[in-house]
């Protein structure tokens, strides 16, 4: 298949462009800093996305960070045309999407602080893959960060069987559309799954295989078609990826899922074995982790080779770095009863901070008036740093460097800028099938027409009473235990305001 055919496959079964939290500038900046690099500030950066489809990933960022500049390229005319229409509706001036083949990008396309590409690398022919890596070096500023995600072995060995099955049943029907092929493929996976389940011994033996079939069947057609039936789907091992980066002037340094890159969170025996097997080499260690976890997907970060000596692969993070970052709770963290009651209280205090956000500084403040000497306080702070690190690696805490000021709703003072209102309008219109909506951290969130109505009222500063009277006109209902109940407008409004404060929609006049 040549690039012309590739373009058609995405024109025909279009790929919804959702924002991806792992590609947000704030996240990439924090990861680079965590590893010892000095990346470009996340709020003053030039960003390139390869294979941007409708640009949904970039739009979420462009709307939130006016001082950043975003450029997206994609081969698909349809997707770029639609993406540009949406950008026009939103009135964004800091983003441009180009219908362009990755193969045609050269140095003259400019330099960027962040180059990202999600869900493209495994699905393009080798020449495009190589070009993508080349771009990540040639078009990257010296302190720049590149993000590429891809399917990986050994996890994809199992999935390859399902892909082979779906490809085989379409082998004799080359003229079917990708959607028709996807539907045929889906049907046949269902048939084989049912047949396996008829035989208890086979069912038991094929547990992993069946689970994989199940997970495949849960995907929507656009995803299933492109993931399983594209001409190209070439997973690779992390060691092969790191070698490719190395040959192209880049240094692979981590996955955005830190559990794939850092051994610290595993059991002591595993840490020791990984150390013995890798002799401290980060790529060998990660390859061993992938063999243990059967990893299927990776989200790799790279920098220029010139930055290598700044990188810290020791898994021991300097206090200055831990203390500068701030943390946001992602998954609920339970604090067990601890012998050291002050430590236990300090941890509980941190985890109960407003918006689930805290810094080491908050722990220091908490300890100020405790009846402890400086040495005891320092020891507790050090324990807290270890706790934070562990939860950062296991993914319970997100971490960021740049702090975005959160503006609360204040009657007759704050308002919601037009671009945010239009963003929600677009998502609730038929364009919502093309792009997803993301906040400043590129996290997807749900929106509905009632919220849109309130946001429209907030175009100018207003009062709670006025908003409540709008809600009263609607007579809101909700279902509780199968029965319809009235919704208290004041209660609803409080929840709404908190949600949109957290999303940073409010600005001061
Ligand atoms: C699986 S989609 C991923 C889209 C988006 N990054 C996401 O994850 O939602 C792959 C995208 O890469 C684009 N693509 C494939 N080959 C390309 C090439 N040679 N140049 C530019 N874009 C390409 C396709 O058109 C498609 O939009």
């Amino acid at each position: 298949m040549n690039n012309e055919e590739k373009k058609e496959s995405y024109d025909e079964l279009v790929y919804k462009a959702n924002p991806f939290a792992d590609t947000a500038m704030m996240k990439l900046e924090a990861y680079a800093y965590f590893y010892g690099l000095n990346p470009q500030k996340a709020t003053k950066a030039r960003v390139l996305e390869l294979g941007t489809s409708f640009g949904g990933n970039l739009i979420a960022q462009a709307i939130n960070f006016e001082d950043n500049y975003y450029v997206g390229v994609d081969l698909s005319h349809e997707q770029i045309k639609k993406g540009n229409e949406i950008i026009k509706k939103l009135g964004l001036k800091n983003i441009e999407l180009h219908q362009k083949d990755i193969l045609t990008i050269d140095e003259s396309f400019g330099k960027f602080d962040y180059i990202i590409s999600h869900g493209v690398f495994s699905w393009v022919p080798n020449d495009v893959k190589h070009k993508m890596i080349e771009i990540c070096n040639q078009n990257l500023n010296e302190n720049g960060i590149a993000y590429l995600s891809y399917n990986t072995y050994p996890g994809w060995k199992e999935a390859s069987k399902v892909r082979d099955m779906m490809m085989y049943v379409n082998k004799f029907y080359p003229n079917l559309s990708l959607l028709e092929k996807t539907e045929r493929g889906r049907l046949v996976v269902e048939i084989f799954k049912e047949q396996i389940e008829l035989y208890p011994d086979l069912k038991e033996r094929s547990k992993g295989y069946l689970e994989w079939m199940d997970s495949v069947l849960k995907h929507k057609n656009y995803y299933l078609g492109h993931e399983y039936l594209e001409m190209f789907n070439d997973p690779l091992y992390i060691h092969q990826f790191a070698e490719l980066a190395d040959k192209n002037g880049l240094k692979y340094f981590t996955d955005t899922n830190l559990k794939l890159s850092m051994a610290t969170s595993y059991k002591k025996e595993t840490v020791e074995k990984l150390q013995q097997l890798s002799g401290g080499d980060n790529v060998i260690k990660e390859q061993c982790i992938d063999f243990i976890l059967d990893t299927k997907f990776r989200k790799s970060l790279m920098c220029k080779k010139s930055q290598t000596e700044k990188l810290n692969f020791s898994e021991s993070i300097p206090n200055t770095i831990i203390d500068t970052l701030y943390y946001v709770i992602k998954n609920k963290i339970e604090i067990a009863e601890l012998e050291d009651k002050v430590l236990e209280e300090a941890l509980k205090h941190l985890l109960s901070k407003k918006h689930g956000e805290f810094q080491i500084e908050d722990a220091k403040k908490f300890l100020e008036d405790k009846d402890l000497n400086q040495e005891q306080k320092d020891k507790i702070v050090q324990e807290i740093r270890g706790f934070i690190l562990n939860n950062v690696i296991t993914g319970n805490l997100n971490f960021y460097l740049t702090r975005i000021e959160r503006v609360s709703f204040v009657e007759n003072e704050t308002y919601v800028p037009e671009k945010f209102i239009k963003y929600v309008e677009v998502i609730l219109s038929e364009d919502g099938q093309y792009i997803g909506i993301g906040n400043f951290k590129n996290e997807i969130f749900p929106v509905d027409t009632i919220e849109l109505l309130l946001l429209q009222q907030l175009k100018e500063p207003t009062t709670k009473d006025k908003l409540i009277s709008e809600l009263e006109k609607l007579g809101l209902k909700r279902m509780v235990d199968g029965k319809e109940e009235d919704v208290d407008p004041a209660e609803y409004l409080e929840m709404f305001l908190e949600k949109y404060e957290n999303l940073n929609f409010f600005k001061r006049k």
Side-chain angles (χ1 to χ4, degrees):
M1 186 167 75
N2 59 30
N3 272 347
E4 203 48 39
E5 287 169 50
K6 176 106 203 154
K7 174 171 63 189
E8 280 168 11
S9 91
Y10 282 96
D11 281 347
E12 173 198 313
L13 189 56
V14 291
Y15 203 93
K16 181 171 176 175
N18 275 319
F20 293 101
D22 281 1
T23 68
M25 272 66 262
M26 276 176 61
K27 186 151 191 170
L28 301 180
E29 175 197 43
Y31 272 66
Y33 177 75
F34 183 79
Y35 269 87
L37 300 170
N38 51 353
Q40 176 63 22
K41 195 157 175 51
T43 49
K44 232 172 181 32
R46 274 177 58 79
V47 182
L48 169 64
E49 181 170 50
L50 305 172
T52 191
S53 85
F54 299 98
N57 190 35
L58 294 185
I59 290 171
Q61 292 284 287
I63 222 159
N64 281 289
F65 298 106
E66 279 179 357
D67 293 338
N68 284 354
Y69 200 82
Y70 297 89
V71 180
V73 297
D74 201 285
L75 202 53
S76 156
H77 284 273
E78 275 303 304
Q79 296 183 158
I80 293 296
K81 186 166 157 264
K82 196 74 199 152
N84 275 326
E85 279 169 24
I86 293 174
I87 288 168
K88 203 164 165 209
K89 281 185 197 162
L90 297 173
L92 297 176
K93 300 278 179 259
N94 58 340
I95 174 168
E96 49 187 75
L97 302 185
H98 299 274
Q99 187 282 320
K100 191 170 177 61
D101 190 335
I102 287 169
L103 286 172
T104 65
I105 294 178
D106 58 20
E107 269 198 284
S108 69
F109 203 63
K111 294 268 187 195
F112 297 86
D113 302 303
Y114 295 93
I115 299 181
I116 57 180
S117 185
H118 184 77
V120 182
F121 192 74
S122 297
W123 301 268
V124 288
N126 280 340
D127 55 343
V128 182
K129 275 194 195 63
H130 285 115
K131 185 71 189 182
M132 287 173 78
I133 295 264
E134 200 181 302
I135 293 167
C136 286
N137 182 15
Q138 156 200 284
N139 297 85
L140 194 67
N141 280 328
E142 213 50 38
N143 63 341
I145 301 298
Y147 165 108
L148 292 183
S149 67
Y150 50 93
N151 286 339
T152 186
Y153 289 136
W156 246 84
K157 294 274 173 187
E158 198 75 48
S160 297
K161 288 198 271 182
V162 181
R163 167 169 155 84
D164 291 349
M165 182 192 296
M166 291 175 73
M167 296 286 273
Y168 179 68
V169 295
N170 283 300
K171 183 177 163 164
F172 305 108
Y173 301 90
N175 295 328
L176 290 183
S177 71
L178 185 56
L179 178 60
E180 286 164 332
K181 286 182 183 165
T182 307
E183 281 166 349
R184 259 182 87 77
R186 185 187 286 282
L187 196 66
V188 92
V189 175
E190 267 166 12
I191 292 173
F192 289 145
K193 185 175 161 281
E194 277 166 20
Q195 298 311 303
I196 293 173
E197 285 173 340
L198 289 178
Y199 304 90
D201 55 334
L202 193 54
K203 188 176 167 187
E204 181 59 28
R205 175 153 64 82
S206 312
K207 259 189 188 158
Y209 190 26
L210 286 169
E211 264 172 32
W212 193 258
M213 286 180 168
D214 263 338
S215 75
V216 166
L217 291 172
K218 282 191 191 118
H219 291 303
K220 296 209 165 99
N221 277 340
Y222 79 89
Y223 179 85
L224 198 55
H226 292 300
E227 180 80 1
Y228 285 85
L229 286 164
E230 280 293 350
M231 178 67 83
F232 299 97
N233 185 340
D234 306 322
L236 78 174
Y237 284 101
I238 178 61
H239 73 90
Q240 294 171 319
F241 182 82
E243 206 175 292
L244 204 58
D246 184 70
K247 281 193 185 134
N248 286 277
L250 292 163
K251 177 78 181 164
Y252 162 73
F253 67 94
T254 193
D255 196 276
T256 56
N257 176 359
L258 288 177
K259 272 189 283 189
L260 300 183
S261 297
M262 298 181 97
T264 318
S265 67
Y266 296 102
K267 289 187 182 358
K268 199 165 149 265
E269 297 92 300
T270 312
V271 175
E272 279 167 15
K273 282 282 172 281
L274 288 171
Q275 177 59 29
Q276 281 166 16
L277 289 166
S278 69
D281 181 287
N282 74 308
V283 174
I284 301 178
K285 174 181 68 183
E286 293 195 27
Q287 186 57 76
C288 295
I289 292 177
D290 280 2
F291 280 126
I292 295 171
L293 300 185
D294 196 25
T295 308
K296 297 176 183 74
F297 194 63
R298 276 194 164 259
K299 294 167 280 182
S300 289
L301 300 190
M302 298 173 287
C303 62
K304 291 230 182 197
K305 257 190 189 170
S306 62
Q307 308 296 302
T308 306
E309 62 185 37
K310 296 188 184 128
L311 287 166
N312 168 19
F313 290 116
S314 72
E315 298 199 20
S316 147
I317 309 298
N319 288 350
T320 47
I321 291 185
I322 298 187
D323 294 7
T324 307
L325 291 165
Y326 73 96
Y327 305 91
V328 184
I329 301 170
K330 187 174 164 210
N331 302 319
K332 197 168 163 34
I333 304 172
E334 298 290 352
I335 303 295
E337 270 201 31
L338 297 173
E339 222 170 275
D340 184 337
K341 287 297 157 203
V342 184
L343 172 62
E344 186 182 322
E345 273 175 44
L347 289 174
K348 284 185 177 156
H349 168 76
L350 291 183
L351 296 181
S352 64
K353 295 283 294 179
K354 206 169 173 211
H355 308 303
E357 276 184 31
F358 62 89
Q359 269 191 303
I360 279 288
E361 196 52 36
D362 298 314
K364 290 184 180 165
K365 278 203 192 108
F366 177 81
L367 292 172
E368 260 169 23
D369 61 355
K370 300 285 171 239
D371 190 16
L372 299 170
N373 63 36
Q374 197 52 44
E375 200 182 319
Q376 289 167 318
K377 286 182 185 174
D378 289 348
K379 191 168 161 275
I380 292 180
V381 171
Q382 200 52 25
E383 297 258 7
I384 294 174
R385 291 192 184 104
F387 167 88
I388 288 178
L389 196 56
N390 203 39
N391 281 287
V392 155
I393 297 173
T394 49
N396 290 329
L397 292 176
N398 280 333
F399 59 103
Y400 302 98
L401 181 64
T402 293
R403 216 166 185 146
I404 306 293
E405 192 205 358
R406 182 183 259 102
V407 179
S408 300
F409 166 79
V410 181
E411 291 199 344
N412 293 323
E413 265 183 42
T414 54
Y415 74 107
V416 174
E418 187 111 22
K419 61 180 179 182
F420 288 125
I421 301 168
K422 286 200 179 136
Y423 196 19
V424 174
E425 258 168 30
V426 158
I427 295 300
L428 293 172
S429 74
E430 66 167 32
D431 289 340
Q433 64 186 302
Y434 305 118
I435 65 163
I437 189 164
N439 65 8
F440 60 105
K441 295 177 194 155
N442 257 19
E443 295 159 340
I444 299 176
F445 60 93
V447 288
D448 63 38
T449 46
I450 299 167
E451 291 175 349
L452 176 59
L453 183 127
L454 289 177
L455 291 169
Q456 282 161 341
Q457 301 298 315
L458 282 155
K459 210 182 288 181
E460 291 297 330
T462 183
T463 62
K464 283 192 182 179
D465 280 350
K466 280 193 193 145
L467 294 170
I468 289 174
S469 76
E470 283 303 317
L471 284 171
E472 278 167 350
K473 282 187 216 155
L474 297 174
L476 298 180
K477 306 270 184 213
R478 72 172 151 226
M479 294 300 279
V480 178
D481 297 333
K483 277 194 219 133
E484 209 176 60
E485 241 182 31
D486 287 336
V487 173
D488 175 9
E491 205 182 291
Y492 181 92
L493 181 65
E494 286 311 317
M495 284 188 325
F496 164 86
L497 292 175
E498 196 189 339
K499 172 175 170 181
Y500 284 89
E501 277 174 6
N502 284 336
L503 292 166
N504 255 349
F505 267 41
F506 293 107
K507 302 289 165 224
R508 286 187 197 91
K509 257 289 177 207

